[in-house]
Amino acid sequence: MLSIKNLHASIDDKEILRGIDLEVKAGEVHAIMGPNGSGKSTLASVLAGREDYEVTQGSIDFLGNDLLDLGAEERAREGLFLAFQYPVEIPGVSSTNFLKTAVNQIREHRGQEPLDAVSFLTLIKEKMKLVEMDQSLLSRSLNEGFSGGEKKRNEIFQMAVLEPKLAILDETDSGLDIDALRIVANGVNQLKNSDNATVVVTHYQRLLDYIVPDFVHVLFNGRIVKSGTKELALELEEKGYDWIKEEVNEATA
Amino acid sequence: MSNAIKADLKQNILNNFKSFEAELNGQSRSEVHQLRRKALDSFESVGFPGVKNEEYKYTPITKSLGKEFDFNNISKSGTIESKKVNDFLIKDLDAYNIVIINGQFSKEYSNVSSVDPKLSIQSLAEAFAEQQALLSTHFAKYANSESDTFTALNTAFSKEGVFINVDSNYIVDKPIAIYFISDADREKVIAQPRNLILVGKNSEVEIIESFYTIGAETSFTNVVSEIVVGENAHVHYAKIGLENDKAHHIGNTQVYQAANSVFNATTATLEGGMVRNNMNIVLDAEGCEANMYGLYLLNGKQHVDNHTMVDHRKPNSFSNELYKGIMNEKSTGVFNGKIFVRQDAQKTNAFQSNKNILLSDDATINTKPQLEIWADDVKCSHGATTGQLDEEQLFYLRARGLSKESARAMLLYAFAHEAIEKVKSDAVRDYLDKLIKERLNKNFQ
């Protein structure tokens, strides 16, 4: 589904990603872990199409498309979804109106008829249950005045409505209390099936107790320096990241 | 513009006044006519504002008028088909409709026959003859010819327009919508409608003034509306500018508020060539409340200037102002907000805010708050911001599949909508909403 080869990316001439290789297949859950500043969020941003980053080398194939050729909205329409680490507040834009526009523009791209008001309402009511979201949030401006937990739940709710093929969760767990974390993870798990894939970017192992990954990758200094199964995450939780750094330093010494 | 041309225009206007006077058939000795003469004197001594005039520093209206008009024949009547008039009427708005074509009250298209005896709506020309007592008390008593030369010009030639009188203790059952149409289909047109709106004690009314042009020739509208809000009365006012790119517009809305009255205004300029909206509010008693909202959406070479003035003369009154603008391409916005708090006006609360989005490097906004406070126990604040669209917000929307164009339009709409959401009638608000959305999708990409 997603094939990243030798990806290099920089911002303001500072290289952050220095040769990432990653293969994600349908039905898989990948966790990307790593210490602060290792490039985790940069990878998520580059995948979603944030224009502040410049890709200097490498390629990304997403379902047979050259992802780097597509604008952010085209990636979304092809089925890529980024759950933002910091969902932005947009005063004056109604949550419902925004989501309806998004759904229908994606449908139009896929050659489907737009949803009428009733079908749209039925859809969002069903998806709201998934993340136990209060309907009153939808009548408010997008993310405006939402608590941290509400914002993250709103991200997963949008993901449920848009049904992406590849979901990238960028530090979705940070700042969540254990109840909110459980709700968010539960939502993600229910959306998982054999046709879609999830990439979980996280600093902490905690989330992976709830969203169990098939593969765990450790990102350090802009490269994936170690890959393994969920046991690797537990090892990181226990021993921290220092031993990884030492291993890398020894290898490059 | 050279002083010679300015002097020429002025001379043409003075000559015009003589023929205007001659057409008045003996009314030239009336009280009203003495006011006209006095206004003409004011105009004669001040003339058109030059580049050094502080009030018109950023709005070169004189230069622009001088290029297009000779002022040789100021008032012309126009005729248009009813089909065209119907095109302008605000959809789904059940209102008393008044149609003014080229400054003349159109009896044919105005629907004001079946009104309650507590409400009079008539042409100003009729009111001069039939409502002498009210006119002599109120006409030209609020809009000051000495402080604004265009008010002087309008007053000097005042003859046609709308007169509205709402008796005391009367809630007008539906809005009064005044449609000002300049018919510039065959030739250039100058229209100078003059309106007087009196709202009695404990009464309430909604007034909508909207401005349109037909045809490709240049037009100049110089309108003055005096609005008197009686004690404990509520007036909801909306001014909607939809004239075309060749239209020049100077509007003076002069409001006088008595004790415990409320005046809510929304001034939305969605189209126009060179537009100046003056909104002056005098709070001459305690317990008054004035809310002013404004919106301007500009592209091409459009130029819109909003000057507002609130004069707090007595204690314990409140004023609040929010004006928002979006400028694209080579357009220019001007905002000047004056707040006066006189020495007597203790415990005044006055707030003002002006927010702008510039979408191009060639667009300009000149914004200037002007607070003059002589009282010492007041709460006043003002602020102005100018920025671009928020890139983070834009990316967020695009990352959910919205095209760049619809993401931009959605953000601009969210910005603009705040400035019109206080409009009283749902139908008027929906009408504005629709126009704003269309325009943001069409001209602001």
Side-chain angles (χ1 to χ4, degrees):
Chain A
M1 177 178 287
L2 179 74
S3 171
I4 304 177
K5 292 204 168 74
N6 190 32
L7 182 69
H8 290 250
S10 42
I11 186 164
D12 301 333
D13 291 328
K14 193 180 161 216
E15 191 168 52
I16 312 279
L17 302 183
R18 308 167 183 216
I20 301 241
D21 291 286
L22 182 67
E23 290 285 333
V24 178
K25 294 194 175 66
E28 294 178 348
V29 175
H30 289 244
I32 294 180
M33 302 185 69
N36 287 330
S38 58
K40 299 189 301 288
S41 281
T42 299
L43 177 60
S45 295
V46 169
L47 288 172
R50 198 186 278 276
E51 285 159 359
D52 308 343
Y53 295 93
E54 193 194 347
V55 173
T56 50
Q57 267 188 71
S59 67
I60 308 174
D61 181 281
F62 175 59
L63 295 165
N65 297 305
D66 180 353
L67 196 70
L68 297 173
D69 264 1
L70 305 178
E73 63 271 35
E74 294 166 306
R75 298 179 194 201
R77 291 169 188 180
E78 290 295 332
L80 188 140
F81 181 92
L82 170 69
F84 281 65
Q85 182 179 5
Y86 304 110
V88 56
E89 298 195 9
I90 314 189
V93 168
S94 106
S95 296
T96 315
N97 189 25
F98 148 70
L99 204 53
K100 193 171 180 205
T101 311
V103 166
N104 284 335
Q105 291 200 5
I106 291 175
R107 288 179 69 88
E108 191 186 341
H109 176 77
R110 295 178 184 161
Q112 296 166 312
E113 289 291 304
L115 285 186
D116 60 41
V118 176
S119 329
F120 176 73
L121 218 63
T122 315
L123 173 74
I124 59 173
K125 276 191 176 154
E126 174 201 322
K127 303 295 186 184
M128 256 181 319
K129 283 195 204 124
L130 210 66
V131 285
E132 298 172 37
M133 210 168 89
D134 196 297
Q135 198 170 346
S136 69
L137 289 183
L138 276 185
S139 59
R140 291 175 31 194
S141 287
L142 186 53
N143 290 324
E144 192 187 16
F146 285 27
S147 71
E150 285 170 338
K151 280 182 187 164
K152 295 297 174 79
R153 261 194 266 181
N154 194 23
E155 293 295 288
I156 304 307
F157 163 63
Q158 290 174 27
M159 173 177 147
V161 172
L162 301 178
E163 297 180 330
K165 299 206 178 73
L166 175 67
I168 301 156
L169 312 183
D170 187 9
E171 310 257 1
T172 298
D173 52 330
S174 61
L176 289 189
D177 63 29
I178 196 69
D179 291 332
L181 183 74
R182 230 181 257 138
I183 291 167
V184 162
N186 185 36
V188 173
N189 286 331
Q190 288 195 48
L191 295 168
K192 212 166 66 181
N193 62 40
S194 58
D195 294 328
N196 62 25
T198 313
V199 174
V200 182
V201 175
T202 181
H203 185 75
Y204 305 105
Q205 188 272 337
R206 192 178 61 153
L207 177 66
L208 304 180
D209 286 342
Y210 300 94
I211 304 173
V212 181
D214 300 301
F215 301 95
V216 174
H217 311 278
V218 180
L219 197 61
F220 180 62
N221 270 342
R223 285 191 194 97
I224 289 175
V225 293
K226 208 170 183 62
S227 293
T229 53
K230 63 182 181 194
E231 284 72 24
L232 176 58
L234 292 168
E235 199 178 350
L236 288 169
E237 177 75 1
E238 200 183 311
K239 304 204 302 203
Y241 287 104
D242 286 349
W243 63 280
I244 299 263
K245 293 181 192 172
E246 279 161 27
E247 266 189 32
V248 173
N249 290 336
E250 274 168 33
T252 52
Chain B
M1 159 174 190
S2 77
N3 286 332
I5 303 174
K6 251 165 74 183
D8 269 4
L9 283 189
K10 209 163 106 178
Q11 196 50 52
N12 283 348
I13 286 169
L14 298 179
N15 293 341
N16 242 279
F17 188 76
K18 288 196 186 98
S19 44
F20 172 73
E21 225 170 14
E23 285 165 20
L24 289 173
N25 294 333
Q27 284 177 39
S28 59
R29 271 186 300 276
S30 70
E31 197 179 341
V32 164
H33 197 66
Q34 300 319 307
L35 291 171
R36 291 192 189 110
R37 284 206 168 146
K38 221 176 124 208
L40 189 77
D41 289 344
S42 294
F43 175 76
E44 195 177 356
S45 68
V46 179
F48 284 106
V51 283
K52 289 195 181 118
N53 185 310
E54 190 61 29
E55 287 298 299
Y56 286 87
K57 195 172 166 184
Y58 298 109
T59 298
I61 185 81
T62 303
K63 188 176 165 192
S64 199
L65 288 175
K67 261 192 229 161
E68 297 287 349
F69 297 97
D70 56 16
F71 286 85
N72 258 331
N73 191 352
I74 287 189
S75 39
K76 278 178 192 159
S77 53
T79 50
I80 49 182
E81 301 160 39
S82 62
K83 192 183 150 290
K84 284 188 181 164
V85 172
N86 284 329
D87 286 348
F88 292 124
L89 301 184
I90 296 171
K91 200 171 156 265
D92 299 329
L93 179 70
D94 179 22
Y96 297 110
N97 289 335
I98 301 163
V99 177
I100 308 283
I101 300 167
N102 292 353
Q104 318 282 320
F105 188 102
S106 163
K107 278 204 162 162
E108 190 184 352
Y109 299 123
S110 299
N111 131 39
V112 291
S113 50
S114 61
V115 306
D116 193 281
K118 282 175 155 292
L119 170 68
S120 349
I121 303 176
Q122 58 192 154
S123 79
L124 187 72
E126 265 175 30
F128 278 142
E130 295 168 17
Q131 308 272 5
Q132 280 170 5
L134 283 174
L135 268 285
S136 119
T137 312
H138 296 290
F139 180 75
K141 296 295 190 290
Y142 309 98
N144 188 345
S145 290
E146 277 148 34
S147 63
D148 184 78
T149 197
F150 289 100
T151 298
L153 186 61
N154 177 290
T155 305
F157 289 89
S158 57
K159 193 176 150 204
E160 282 277 6
V162 185
F163 171 78
I164 297 170
N165 183 43
V166 181
D167 274 1
S168 299
N169 305 306
Y170 183 62
I171 313 295
V172 180
D173 59 337
K174 50 188 184 183
I176 301 171
I178 314 171
Y179 297 89
F180 297 89
I181 303 167
S182 284
D183 178 7
D185 199 21
R186 286 172 297 269
E187 54 191 344
K188 292 178 181 179
V189 55
I190 295 178
Q192 297 205 86
R194 175 63 174 241
N195 311 304
L196 178 62
I197 298 163
L198 307 174
V199 182
K201 196 170 164 183
N202 301 322
S203 294
E204 181 161 357
V205 66
E206 179 178 10
I207 310 271
I208 299 122
E209 295 184 331
S210 49
F211 294 85
Y212 307 85
T213 34
I214 291 176
E217 291 294 334
T218 318
S219 63
F220 174 44
T221 302
N222 179 30
V223 56
V224 174
S225 296
E226 291 177 291
I227 304 174
V228 181
V229 189
E231 190 179 332
N232 202 35
H234 283 62
V235 174
H236 310 277
Y237 170 83
K239 177 177 177 181
I240 305 171
L242 288 166
E243 290 167 304
N244 67 16
D245 281 356
K246 288 185 124 181
H248 299 67
H249 178 105
I250 304 266
N252 273 287
T253 304
Q254 183 71 45
V255 182
Y256 180 88
Q257 291 187 238
N260 303 311
S261 64
V262 177
F263 181 73
N264 296 319
T266 302
T267 304
T269 309
L270 305 181
E271 299 276 2
M274 182 172 285
V275 177
R276 165 70 169 255
N277 298 309
N278 293 318
M279 164 77 71
N280 300 328
I281 301 178
V282 175
L283 305 177
D284 204 13
E286 294 198 38
C288 295
E289 177 178 335
N291 295 295
M292 290 160 282
Y293 292 87
L295 177 68
Y296 37 104
L297 303 181
L298 316 180
N299 74 321
K301 290 183 178 173
Q302 293 178 321
H303 182 115
V304 171
D305 176 349
N306 281 290
H307 266 60
T308 66
M309 189 276 290
V310 186
D311 186 0
H312 285 264
R313 292 185 180 169
K314 298 280 156 58
N316 293 309
S317 283
F318 170 84
S319 70
N320 179 44
E321 174 169 27
L322 172 66
Y323 270 62
K324 294 183 121 180
I326 301 174
M327 272 68 56
N328 198 12
E329 295 166 1
K330 293 184 173 175
S331 63
T332 306
V334 180
F335 174 81
N336 181 296
K338 292 187 187 75
I339 299 175
F340 297 119
V341 182
R342 310 280 182 118
Q343 201 162 3
D344 273 354
Q346 299 295 353
K347 306 281 182 195
T348 286
N349 280 326
F351 306 105
Q352 180 190 93
S353 170
N354 173 231
K355 296 180 180 174
N356 299 287
I357 292 182
L358 294 178
L359 294 175
S360 102
D361 291 344
D362 297 324
T364 309
I365 174 76
N366 294 295
T367 174
K368 184 179 171 191
Q370 225 176 310
L371 275 62
E372 293 182 27
I373 300 168
W374 291 285
D376 51 20
D377 184 12
V378 301
K379 266 189 223 158
C380 293
S381 73
H382 66 89
T385 59
T386 300
Q388 280 94 41
L389 269 183
D390 186 315
E391 290 294 330
E392 269 304 303
Q393 296 180 344
L394 208 53
F395 176 66
Y396 187 87
L397 297 178
R398 290 177 64 203
R400 294 293 176 260
L402 269 72
S403 69
K404 210 173 191 169
E405 294 72 32
S406 44
R408 272 171 74 104
M410 194 175 267
L411 292 177
L412 291 173
Y413 171 76
F415 174 83
H417 181 258
E418 191 190 5
I420 58 133
E421 65 187 5
K422 296 286 159 54
V423 168
K424 174 89 172 153
S425 288
D426 293 346
V428 179
R429 217 170 40 245
D430 291 349
Y431 172 76
L432 285 173
D433 234 35
K434 191 165 163 271
L435 289 170
I436 291 168
K437 278 184 186 156
E438 279 171 10
R439 189 144 156 71
L440 292 177
N441 275 300
K442 195 174 78 186
N443 299 123
F444 289 83
Q445 295 303 332

